[in-house]
């Protein structure tokens, strides 16, 4: 329809042009004839009058009065002729006005014609898989080579929007597991569908430091499906939208700019071979660096000589480039048209500046500086030529920017910049026109697996906070829409995926946790305690105390960090102890000894150690300070020593109200179990181990003083352990003191303190102190490292225990899918 309108207007324009031409010719003919006739009449009349005057004077026939009468008649006739001349001139003015109106009409028609051209150009590439629409391209030049592209796969991830309330959310690990099973279709659906919302989010979250392989993978993926034109249209639009001015567009290595550069590498080889390669080979023959910096120039070269050579080389290169519009691939010229149209909307007077940013900085300068990359057929270049190419590219960059050099040794190139402004602007105009002819570059497509491999490797190098930023933006673009999919995975597989992501995103010196850290904590501390129970089963037997202590510390630290109210910590500890208490039938000394050395006891010890640190300091610091000053009389378990310990036990039972609330809750739960180990654990796993670490509760001590103090404090720890295990002292347990007297003293004291502890544990919640966690991310990161090392060492056991397959319909967001898919390459080398 637009083409038919355009043809009608053009036909009317030609008719108006013809009518105007005829009017102008008629006007010129009339004016010429009238002026010639006027001149002839004037001359003839002047001659006749003069002759008549002479005749009258000679004859002196009728005297002066007849002569005056005759003269008056002739003057009247001349006045009449002047009026006729004025009439002719008035007609000329009217014809000129008509000509002016016709000229204005012609200018208006030309403007309409330009607007129609613009609309046709817009339709030439909008919404098509080919570079331009078939109609426009047939008119402007050769057709694009016809390639049979594979169809896009059917949507699997976004095929169903959530309409069922109450469905659980899929974990990132579950999403990653499903994406890992079909990475190619997942990447295609993410990037090539959904109106490129995912790609838009990736672009907004990207940084100049992002690896170039991401841009290469994106270009390869879109080219594989013949969607490169849609991709280019979007990235040009996004790049210009985000730029603050025309002088900054395409100048920084944004992801959009990198995509354009990567695309130019795939289609620019013909141009590089015909235009740039001869220039590169000539530089190889010259063997000069063209270096201008006096600090870097070779001893055998001179700055002035290099300046002249560089100026000549750059000028020759510019001449070749600005005369090469017809050799530029049609794919790149189509990008130039896109840039022109988008830039004209935002910066109508600076379109050439945006054009320079693309064609020079994103293509030509890179093709010169990295000639081997753009034209692989070029032989390996020596270092001296590479340096020379970098200098020429720098000069071309300055010409493109229209910016003069400020360095004193580069000022000599400023005239080159000024001399080529007009020619380069003419070049920009030429390459942004729809061409009558031009080469179409044939693209060597990457395989789909290679494109996905590039994307996987590129995303793996991105920091997790950048992935999360993109995730948030993608969800915003998609309006937080929920999708539904059936996920099939085992907890063991989920753990493997989390650990793989963790290897590079969770513990590599990060200042704060990320999405996968939080997810791993949720997995470890899930409500049904699947993983905690699996860990308990793995640690149930055959493990060294040091290993059990490390794992227990990890669970304690992570659970407290995940929930500073310590509810998760309490639940995890109860789950471990519940499983172990179920294996004990009585509270005999053997049973107590086994429980006090189990995995659950180590978890208990680490939890109480972290949460109860303030409480321990309040009761042990004064004790240790008293012993250090020698006021205790505690050197052996004699009467004086036992009296001192009795006083300490009395202070201990009075201080139970200071125990933090989370610890009281655990003790309260333990007091209601079949086998009551409340007091035994409190004395043997909480207080006694703390007395083995006196450096945490006293002043800085010298080694000799520390050893002496440790021996004395160790007597109290030994007494507490005997009470906890329900044992008596044997000969050899102490070097000095009467064993019978000690046991006679120990039994009632043990019964008393254990009764007090059990009574406190079963009392009201008001008998406990509030607690505020001070576990920080650094503590949790170290705990994660130790915990993951243990899981790797016991992966066979965990795989067997966590092998049960789960099938469940879960919801997810588009950004969640991107985040999980982007981490598929995490941990790979």
């Amino acid at each position: 329809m637009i083409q038919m309108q355009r043809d009608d207007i053009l036909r009317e324009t030609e008719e108006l042009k013809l009518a105007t031409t005829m009017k102008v010719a008629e006007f010129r003919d009339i004016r010429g004839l009238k002026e010639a006739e006027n001149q002839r009449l004037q001359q003839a009349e002047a001659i006749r009058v003069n002759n008549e005057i002479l005749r009258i004077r000679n004859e002196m026939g009728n005297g002066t009065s007849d002569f005056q009468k005759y003269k008056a008649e002739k003057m009247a006739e001349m006045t009449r002729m002047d009026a006729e001349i004025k009439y002719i001139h008035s007609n000329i003015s009217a014809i000129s006005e008509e000509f002016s109106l016709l000229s204005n009409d012609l200018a208006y028609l030309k403007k309409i014609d330009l607007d129609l051209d613009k609309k046709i150009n817009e339709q030439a590439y909008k919404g098509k898989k080919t570079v331009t629409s078939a109609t426009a391209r047939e008119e402007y030049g050769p057709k694009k080579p016809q390639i049979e592209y594979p169809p896009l796969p059917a949507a699997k991830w976004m095929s169903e929007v959530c309409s069922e309330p109450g469905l659980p959310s899929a974990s990132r690990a579950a999403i990653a597991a499903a994406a890992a099973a079909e990475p190619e279709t997942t990447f295609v659906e993410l990037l090539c569908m959904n109106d490129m919302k995912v790609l838009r989010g990736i672009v907004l979250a990207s940084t100049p430091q992002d690896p170039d392989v991401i841009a290469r993978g994106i270009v390869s993926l879109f080219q594989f499906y013949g969607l490169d034109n849609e991709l280019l249209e979007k990235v040009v639009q996004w790049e210009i939208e985000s730029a603050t001015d025309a002088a900054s567009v395409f100048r920084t290595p944004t992801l959009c700019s990198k995509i354009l550069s990567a695309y130019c590498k795939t289609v620019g080889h013909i141009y590089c071979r015909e235009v740039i390669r001869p220039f590169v080979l000539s530089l190889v023959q010259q063997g000069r660096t063209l270096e201008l910096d006096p600090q870097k120039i070779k001893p055998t070269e001179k700055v002035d000589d290099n300046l002249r050579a560089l100026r000549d080389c750059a000028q020759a290169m510019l001449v070749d480039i600005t005369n090469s519009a017809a050799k530029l691939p049609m794919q790149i010229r189509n990008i130039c048209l896109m840039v022109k149209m988008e830039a004209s909307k935002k910066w109508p007077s600076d379109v050439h500046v945006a054009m320079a940013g693309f064609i020079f900085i994103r293509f030509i300068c890179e093709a010169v500086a990295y000639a081997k990359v753009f034209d692989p057929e070029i032989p390996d270049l020596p270092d001296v030529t590479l340096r020379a190419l970098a200098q020429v590219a720098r000069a071309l960059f300055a010409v493109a920017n229209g910016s003069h050099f400020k360095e004193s040794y580069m000022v000599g190139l400023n005239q080159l910049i000024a001399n080529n402004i007009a020619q380069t602007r003419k070049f920009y105009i030429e390459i942004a026109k729809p061409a009558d002819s031009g080469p179409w570059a044939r693209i060597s497509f990457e395989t789909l697996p290679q494109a996905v491999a590039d994307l996987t490797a590129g995303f793996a190098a991105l920091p997790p906070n950048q992935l999360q930023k993109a995730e948030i933006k993608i969800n915003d673009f998609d309006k937080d829409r929920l999708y539904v999919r059936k996920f099939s995975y085992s907890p063991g597989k989920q753990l493997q995926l989390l650990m793989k992501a963790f290897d590079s995103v969770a513990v590599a010196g990060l200042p704060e946790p990320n999405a996968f850290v939080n997810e791993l904590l949720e997995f470890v501390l899930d409500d049904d305690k699947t993983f905690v129970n699996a860990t308990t089963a793995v640690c149930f037997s055959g493990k060294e105390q040091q290993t059990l202590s490390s794992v227990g510390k990890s669970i304690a630290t992570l659970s407290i960090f995940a929930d500073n109210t310590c509810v998760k910590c309490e639940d995890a500890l109860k789950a471990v102890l519940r499983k172990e208490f179920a294996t004990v039938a009585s509270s005999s000394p053997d049973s107590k000894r086994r429980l006090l050395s189990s995995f659950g006891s180590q978890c208990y010890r680490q939890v109480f150690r972290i949460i109860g640190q303030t409480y321990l300091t309040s009761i042990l610091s004064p004790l240790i300070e008293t012993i250090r000053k020698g006021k205790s009389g505690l050197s052996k378990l004699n009467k004086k020593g036992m009296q001192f310990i009795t006083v300490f036990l009395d202070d201990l039972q009075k201080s139970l109200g200071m125990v933090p609330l989370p610890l009281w809750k655990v003790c309260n739960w333990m007091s209601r179990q079949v086998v009551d180990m409340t007091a035994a654990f409190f004395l043997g796993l909480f207080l006694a181990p703390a007395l083995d670490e006196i450096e945490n509760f006293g002043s800085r001590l010298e080694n000799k003083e520390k050893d002496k103090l440790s021996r004395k404090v160790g007597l109290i720890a030994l007494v507490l352990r005997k009470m906890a295990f329900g044992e008596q002292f044997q000969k050899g347990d102490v070097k000095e003191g009467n064993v019978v007297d000690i046991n006679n003293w120990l039994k009632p004291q043990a019964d008393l303190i254990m009764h007090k502890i059990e009574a406190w544990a079963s009392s009201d919640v008001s008998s406990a102190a509030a607690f505020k966690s001070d576990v920080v991310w650094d503590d949790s990161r170290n705990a994660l490292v130790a915990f993951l090392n243990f899981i790797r060492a016991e992966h066979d056991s965990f795989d067997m225990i966590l092998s049960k397959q789960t099938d469940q319909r879960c919801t997810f967001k588009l950004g969640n899918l991107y985040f999980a898919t982007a981490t598929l390459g995490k941990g790979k080398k």
Side-chain angles (χ1 to χ4, degrees):
M1 179 61 71
I2 293 176
Q3 185 64 40
M4 294 176 62
Q5 293 177 358
R6 181 176 183 272
D7 292 339
D8 293 337
I9 293 174
L10 288 175
R11 186 168 57 254
E12 293 174 5
T13 302
E14 292 300 327
E15 293 175 358
L16 286 172
K17 286 181 179 178
L18 181 60
T20 302
T21 303
M22 294 176 63
K23 287 286 185 181
V24 171
E26 181 182 355
F27 154 73
R28 288 175 178 172
D29 291 339
I30 293 171
R31 184 172 62 181
L33 291 172
K34 291 294 184 181
E35 288 179 350
E37 181 66 15
N38 183 44
Q39 289 178 359
R40 187 183 63 77
L41 291 173
Q42 285 182 343
Q43 290 175 357
E45 186 64 17
I47 292 172
R48 192 179 65 79
V49 169
N50 288 333
N51 290 337
E52 188 71 13
I53 291 172
L54 290 174
R55 186 182 63 78
I56 292 172
R57 284 180 178 177
N58 289 332
E59 295 179 352
M60 295 294 290
N62 295 323
T64 304
S65 59
D66 292 334
F67 172 74
Q68 293 294 332
K69 182 179 179 180
Y70 180 81
K71 182 178 179 181
E73 291 175 354
K74 295 302 178 183
M75 291 298 295
E77 186 176 355
M78 291 179 66
T79 302
R80 180 180 57 79
M81 293 178 66
D82 287 337
E84 290 180 357
I85 292 172
K86 289 181 180 180
Y87 174 78
I88 292 172
H89 279 292
S90 65
N91 287 338
I92 292 174
S93 299
I95 292 173
S96 298
E97 290 176 3
E98 185 176 356
F99 179 79
S100 176
L101 292 173
L102 289 173
S103 299
N104 292 336
D105 291 341
L106 183 60
Y108 175 74
L109 291 172
K110 286 182 178 180
K111 182 177 181 302
I112 294 176
D113 188 49
L114 290 174
D115 291 338
L116 284 173
D117 279 339
K118 184 175 180 182
K119 291 180 179 179
I120 291 174
N121 290 335
E122 288 176 343
Q123 287 194 343
Y125 66 86
K126 192 169 185 179
K128 309 287 184 183
K129 286 190 178 180
T130 55
V131 172
T132 57
S133 68
T135 303
R137 183 49 58 194
E138 287 173 0
E139 182 178 343
Y140 293 138
K143 294 182 180 179
K144 181 177 180 180
Q146 297 299 313
I147 301 174
E148 290 295 330
Y149 296 106
L152 285 170
K156 292 184 178 180
W157 287 94
M158 270 63 75
S159 60
E160 182 181 356
V161 178
C162 180
S163 59
E164 306 174 41
L167 287 179
S169 299
S171 67
R172 285 179 177 80
I175 298 173
E182 44 188 10
E184 294 176 6
T185 56
T186 301
F187 271 112
V188 171
E189 191 168 352
L190 270 174
L191 297 175
C192 299
M193 302 183 189
N194 309 299
D195 197 26
M196 297 192 199
K197 297 171 186 173
V198 173
L199 184 57
R200 180 62 169 150
I202 295 171
V203 166
L204 291 177
S206 64
T207 67
Q209 293 74 37
D210 293 350
D212 295 345
V213 71
I214 294 178
R216 187 178 70 195
I218 291 172
V219 169
S220 298
L221 188 66
F222 278 81
Q223 283 180 332
F224 184 84
Y225 287 100
L227 299 172
D228 44 341
N229 195 68
E230 284 86 342
L231 171 67
L232 297 172
E233 181 182 355
K234 286 292 186 181
V235 297
V236 168
Q237 177 186 342
W238 294 339
E239 177 69 10
I240 291 176
E241 281 180 355
S242 63
T244 55
D245 52 63
S248 63
V249 70
F250 302 121
R251 266 68 173 182
T252 55
T254 62
L255 181 56
C256 288
S257 295
K258 290 179 180 179
I259 289 173
L260 292 175
S261 294
Y263 183 79
C264 288
K265 289 177 184 177
T266 68
V267 300
H269 51 280
I270 297 176
Y271 182 87
C272 293
R273 183 181 64 213
E274 296 184 4
V275 178
I276 296 177
R277 186 194 294 182
F279 170 75
V280 173
L281 297 179
S282 69
L283 282 182
V284 174
Q285 294 177 351
Q286 291 183 29
R288 304 173 67 95
T289 63
L290 303 183
E291 181 61 68
L292 301 184
D293 189 345
Q295 304 296 324
K296 299 179 181 179
I297 194 170
K298 295 171 64 175
T300 57
E301 297 179 352
K302 294 182 179 180
V303 173
D304 292 341
D305 294 341
N306 280 358
L307 176 59
R308 284 191 295 272
L310 177 57
R311 191 164 49 220
D312 293 343
C313 287
Q315 182 61 56
M317 188 78 238
L318 282 168
V319 170
D320 289 344
I321 290 170
T322 54
N323 291 329
S324 66
K327 299 178 181 179
L328 199 64
M330 299 298 286
Q331 291 97 325
I332 295 180
R333 296 192 66 165
N334 193 55
I335 300 176
C336 295
L337 179 60
M338 295 176 187
V339 173
K340 174 185 174 182
M341 295 179 65
E342 288 296 331
S344 62
K345 299 174 185 176
K346 194 170 184 178
W347 312 293
S349 60
D350 289 331
V351 174
H352 65 281
V353 181
M355 292 285 296
F358 166 65
I359 194 64
F360 268 98
I361 297 172
R362 286 299 125 204
F363 178 43
I364 293 175
C365 289
E366 288 193 12
V368 172
Y370 308 103
K372 180 71 174 175
V373 176
F374 280 76
D375 186 5
E377 297 176 9
I378 291 180
D380 292 338
L381 301 174
D383 291 342
V384 63
T385 304
L386 293 175
R387 183 58 187 164
L389 289 172
Q391 294 294 94
V392 174
R394 186 180 180 188
L396 296 178
F397 187 91
V399 172
N401 281 329
S403 57
H404 289 70
F405 290 105
K406 297 180 180 179
E407 300 93 331
S408 58
Y409 55 86
M410 298 291 289
V411 170
L413 291 175
N414 288 341
Q415 191 60 42
L416 171 76
I417 300 170
N419 292 342
N420 286 278
I421 291 176
Q423 188 65 19
T424 52
R425 289 195 181 185
K426 182 180 177 182
F427 175 64
Y428 304 146
I429 295 172
E430 186 67 23
I431 61 178
K433 290 181 179 178
D436 294 331
S437 63
W440 282 95
R442 292 191 177 276
I443 303 170
S444 299
F445 295 108
E446 294 283 0
T447 63
L448 182 58
Q450 182 58 50
V452 171
D454 287 343
L455 290 169
T456 301
F459 289 137
L462 300 181
N465 58 345
Q466 185 174 333
L467 298 180
Q468 286 184 277
K469 181 179 178 182
E471 177 185 28
I472 294 170
K473 291 186 177 297
I474 292 167
N475 287 335
D476 287 342
F477 292 143
D478 202 37
K479 299 181 180 179
D480 287 317
R481 188 178 287 110
L482 287 176
Y483 301 92
V484 181
R485 176 171 175 148
K486 183 179 179 181
F487 292 91
S488 300
Y489 61 93
S490 66
K493 180 64 175 178
Q494 184 177 359
L495 178 61
Q496 291 176 11
L497 289 164
L498 285 169
M499 289 176 60
K500 184 174 69 172
F502 238 70
D503 286 338
S504 56
V505 305
V507 296
L510 291 177
E512 58 184 20
N514 56 68
F516 266 104
V517 173
N518 297 332
E519 191 161 300
L520 181 60
L521 294 178
E522 291 175 5
F523 178 80
V524 171
L525 306 168
D526 60 332
D527 292 338
D528 60 3
K529 300 298 177 289
T530 300
F531 186 74
V532 170
N533 290 334
T535 305
T536 304
V538 172
C539 295
F540 189 73
S541 63
K543 300 294 182 294
E544 297 180 356
Q545 285 295 309
Q546 184 177 358
T547 301
L548 298 180
S549 177
S550 175
V551 177
K553 182 178 180 180
S554 296
I555 291 180
T557 304
L558 294 176
S559 59
I560 295 173
F561 176 76
D563 175 20
N564 58 14
T565 65
C566 295
V567 173
K568 286 185 177 296
C569 177
E570 298 167 22
D571 292 343
L573 181 55
K574 291 174 184 177
V576 175
L577 293 176
R578 184 182 293 110
K579 200 169 187 68
E580 295 189 344
F581 285 175
T583 64
V584 178
S586 66
S587 57
S588 63
D590 288 342
S591 297
K592 286 186 175 182
R593 183 173 295 279
R594 184 148 54 88
L595 287 175
L596 287 167
S597 60
S598 66
F599 172 61
S601 68
Q602 293 301 326
C603 292
Y604 177 99
R605 176 182 174 184
Q606 297 299 334
V607 169
F608 274 58
R609 180 182 182 182
I610 296 171
I611 299 177
Q613 187 65 30
T614 302
Y615 169 74
L616 291 173
T617 302
S618 67
I619 63 169
L620 297 186
S621 291
L623 172 71
I624 293 172
E625 188 65 16
T626 301
I627 297 173
R628 189 183 71 82
K629 292 180 178 180
K631 298 179 179 180
S632 64
L634 181 64
S635 58
K636 55 185 177 180
L637 280 179
N638 54 16
K639 184 176 181 180
K640 194 171 184 180
M642 289 186 287
Q643 184 177 3
F644 179 78
I645 296 175
T646 300
V647 173
F648 167 70
L649 293 173
D650 185 56
D651 292 339
L652 174 62
Q653 61 176 306
K654 294 177 181 178
S655 70
L656 291 174
M658 299 169 56
V659 174
L661 180 61
L663 302 188
W664 173 84
K665 289 182 178 179
V666 174
C667 292
N668 180 264
W669 173 84
M670 292 177 66
S671 68
R672 291 182 275 107
Q673 303 307 304
V674 175
V675 178
D676 189 356
M677 297 290 293
T678 307
F681 272 47
F682 193 86
L683 295 175
L685 298 176
F686 182 35
L687 294 175
L691 290 170
D692 294 335
E693 301 171 349
I694 60 173
E695 64 274 9
N696 295 332
F697 307 102
S699 311
R700 185 176 181 83
L701 304 171
E702 298 295 335
N703 288 337
K704 185 176 181 180
E705 184 182 12
K706 180 180 177 181
D707 292 341
K708 183 179 179 181
L709 183 60
S710 296
R711 286 194 297 270
K712 294 181 178 181
V713 174
L715 290 174
I716 302 177
L718 179 60
V719 169
L720 295 179
R721 287 191 173 93
K722 292 292 185 181
M723 291 179 174
F725 285 105
E727 298 176 344
Q728 294 188 335
F729 278 88
Q730 305 294 326
K731 291 183 178 180
D733 289 341
V734 291
K735 295 181 179 180
E736 300 183 31
N738 189 306
V739 173
V740 176
D741 293 341
I742 295 174
N743 287 332
N744 290 336
W745 165 81
L746 179 66
K747 183 67 170 64
Q749 291 296 327
D751 291 341
L752 179 60
I753 190 62
M754 297 187 77
H755 173 72
K756 292 291 185 180
I757 293 173
E758 291 168 357
W760 161 77
S762 58
S763 64
D764 189 80
V765 69
S766 61
S767 60
F771 169 74
K772 183 178 180 180
S773 171
D774 59 355
V775 174
V776 296
W777 168 234
D778 286 340
D779 300 327
S780 294
R781 182 172 56 233
N782 295 333
L784 281 169
V785 172
F787 196 32
L788 294 179
N789 289 338
F790 170 73
I791 295 172
R792 291 188 188 94
E794 302 290 338
H795 65 89
D796 290 339
S797 299
F798 278 103
D799 286 347
M800 181 178 65
I801 297 172
L802 300 173
S803 60
K804 183 180 179 181
Q805 192 77 11
T806 300
D807 295 330
Q808 190 174 21
R809 282 170 55 82
C810 300
T811 63
F812 65 93
K813 296 180 181 179
L814 188 59
N816 306 147
L817 176 60
Y818 160 73
F819 188 97
T821 306
T823 58
L824 291 179
K826 298 294 185 182
K828 290 184 179 180
K829 297 183 179 180

